[in-house]
Every structure is written in structure tokens, then in C-alpha cells.
């Protein structure tokens, strides 16, 4: 009787564990590419003289947080922060 209960429970736990691992890597590529693009865009904004804007500072702060999340494999948060940073970089380059 106990074996009948344990087998489905163990199988369910294995499925949940594998789903958790898959969820962790789902945003890995997005995180990396967003970060790479954002750092390049930030360097361009700095070279163009927009490094003193508030938007530039917000972008830099977000990118720092995104990089930290990438190192801790929090790829979804990393991707979202990097995407938001890219928005602020565009705002900075537009003078806002």
C-alpha cells in the first residue's frame, strides 16, 4: 500500500524539480544578450556625452543589478532589468 502512494509522489517531485530547472534556464539566453546589448549601448551613450543624465544613472544601476542576478542564475529578473535599462539608455540618448 505504501509503495503505491510513494511512487506517484516521488514521480511528481521529480517532475517539479525538472520543471524548476527548465524555468531557470528559460531566460538565460535573453539575459545574456540583453546585458551585452545594454552595456554596448551604455558605452555609446557615455561616448556621446550623455553619462551625466538621470536616465543614464538609472540604466547603470539596473545593469549592475541585472549582472548580479545573472551571477545568481536569476535569469528572468536579469532579463527584465536589462530590458528596462535599455529603455533608460534610449531616454538618456534622447536627452530625457
Amino acid at each position: 500500500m505504501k509503495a503505491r502512494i510513494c511512487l506517484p509522489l516521488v514521480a511528481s517531485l521529480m517532475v517539479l524539480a525538472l520543471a524548476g530547472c527548465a524555468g531557470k534556464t528559460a531566460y538565460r539566453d535573453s539575459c545574456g544578450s540583453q546585458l551585452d546589448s545594454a552595456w554596448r549601448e551604455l558605452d555609446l551613450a557615455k561616448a556621446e556625452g550623455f553619462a551625466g543624465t538621470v536616465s543614464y544613472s538609472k540604466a547603470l544601476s539596473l545593469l549592475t543589478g541585472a549582472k548580479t542576478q545573472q551571477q545568481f542564475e536569476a535569469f528572468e529578473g536579469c532579463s527584465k532589468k536589462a530590458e528596462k535599462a535599455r529603455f533608460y539608455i534610449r531616454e538618456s540618448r534622447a536627452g530625457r
Side-chain angles (χ1 to χ4, degrees), residues 1-6:
M1 181 71 174
K2 287 183 181 180
R4 287 185 184 167
I5 294 173
C6 287

Side-chain angles (χ1 to χ4, degrees), residues 39-93:
W39 282 113
R40 278 193 300 273
E41 292 168 8
L42 195 70
D43 286 342
L44 284 173
K46 184 177 182 181
E48 293 170 351
F50 294 108
T53 66
V54 173
S55 294
Y56 181 93
S57 298
K58 287 180 183 180
L60 182 59
S61 177
L62 284 164
L63 285 177
T64 302
K67 185 63 179 175
T68 301
Q69 286 186 313
Q70 182 188 37
Q71 291 172 341
F72 285 100
E73 296 184 3
F75 298 118
E76 184 176 2
C78 164
S79 183
K80 289 179 180 180
K81 272 189 173 65
E83 188 176 338
K84 196 170 185 179
R86 292 180 76 192
F87 166 78
Y88 283 115
I89 293 166
R90 287 190 298 275
E91 290 292 298
S92 173
R93 292 178 79 188

Side-chain angles (χ1 to χ4, degrees), residues 10-23:
V10 169
S12 296
L13 289 174
M14 288 176 61
V15 167
L16 285 174
L18 290 174
C21 291

